[in-house]
Amino acid sequence: MAAFALASSSGRARGVAAAVGLWVLLTLGLPLVQLGQEAWSVVGPPAPPWIFVLAGLRALGLAAAVAVIAAVAAYPVARTVSARVLLVLVLVSPLARALGVLGLGMAPGVPAVLLAQSAGAIPLAALVLQLRLRGRARVWLEAAADLGAGPWRRFWEVELPLLAPALALAAGWAALWALGDVTTLELAGGGKVYTLALLLRDAVLSEANPRRAAAIVVVMLAVAVPCALAIARGLAGLAGEVSGPGPRAGSGLRALGWLGVGLSALPLAGLIGQLSLRTDGSGGLLLRGLLARSLALTLGCGLLAAALGFTLALLRRRSAGRDAVAALVLLPLAVPPVVYGALMLPAGRLLGLMPGPGLTLLGLLPMRVALAYAGAVLAVAAVQPEVIDGARDLGAGAGARLLRVWWPLLAPAGLALALVGFAHALADSSVPAFTAGPGGSTLAVGMTIVARGGEVDVVPRWALGLSLAPVAVVMISAWAWRPFAASRRRAQG
């Protein structure tokens, strides 16, 4: 019987690995091969090597600066602010941040890009750190305090070593997102911050230079693959670390935390300052026409991503995040979005898809599946093993356990992750910029098109409305999560 169970588990693992491998092959491998073939046969306009060097160094410098700011600010923010507020700030669209920074009176350039990208990186890093703080950190800190250790000594000798892996993960993740944020570079940079992401976009969309595009994609993937392994290991370390509220912060630390939150919210203040009462004009007509299609597309993306993410997390729950399969699922979190956008056009040619909603959905899915998988791993790890073992001991099969145990316990988390995927896809303009086709398939792309035109005053009200979506997402998620949190408290009590 044990041998049969072992063989069944091994077969299931091989099946999951094959499915994940096929998924990565379709969304990344085959499009990369297609792009390589085009690069071999089509020679675009030549470019001096120093352009690549300067763009690469500028991209790395900017990403490193964003990572440092996020790492420094993450700790006080994580100790001060609730996860709901952080999630709202993370899900604000890059377009809204870029326009908001310009609305503050900053000239387009490096400082504006740095502020806009840091405004998203700080809450992202704080969320990762907060997961770690909610686990063993509180118990160990209370034990150190009982032994007479002061706040500073507790931080250096207990908290910092415990948080170091999560801090490194948060900083690296913030740097990777900064590398591929085309929207912020284009709008807040004003053409003055030309990095590899913009070089890749121009090589694909305006220069028809597959050789240059393939070279940049290979460089970015070479950086992303080891980072994906690190994210997988970091996720495995965070699993099970959400057992209770984090340690309380002192008044000084809270002041620093709210200062970090204020920095993250500063672009939204600039966006409010740009609100205009003028009529929408032709730009408003374009955006209103995209509203229903964009909502349907991104909501469908969130639901599909949550279903796939939870399926993978349940099938791989015994080793979630600790193997190459988990790294492949999480690879889109390390690959800059501009890479997936550039590869979707070759993918569309392979699958017979023209730029439009179908290709946009395919381009948006990988990152949302990775986000859903990461959240599902944490949600599955939070379920008491005794509940599942008890159902198995009572004779419940896999189907019965799925319907009677897993579904009631994980449905709130599934709804929350589906809504997070929806809001995250709704704010994304990097991938749809390649896949949407003329006129755009999503609101984010439509607003970018209008922002480039003469009706710039139309965009802030739409960008602010788009930024309210995360607020609704967090409120609905908190309402859905309440029964699950109450059952967990009863189980732990």
Side-chain angles (χ1 to χ4, degrees), residues 131 173 231 235 239 309-310 313 329-330 333 367-380 417:
L131 287 175
W173 203 350
I231 291 174
L235 180 63
F310 266 96
V329 178
L330 296 170
L333 298 183
M367 180 174 285
R368 280 82 216 170
V369 170
L371 285 171
Y373 174 77
V377 166
L378 299 177
V380 170
L417 290 174

Side-chain angles (χ1 to χ4, degrees), residues 7 45 61 67 71 87 96 117 131 178 218 234 245 275 350 364 368 376 383 401 431:
L87 186 58
Q117 290 188 337
L131 287 175
V218 168
L275 291 180
L350 285 171
L364 290 173
R368 280 82 216 170
V383 175
R401 293 198 303 273
V431 173

Side-chain angles (χ1 to χ4, degrees), residues 163-175:
L163 295 178
L167 196 59
L169 173 63
W173 203 350

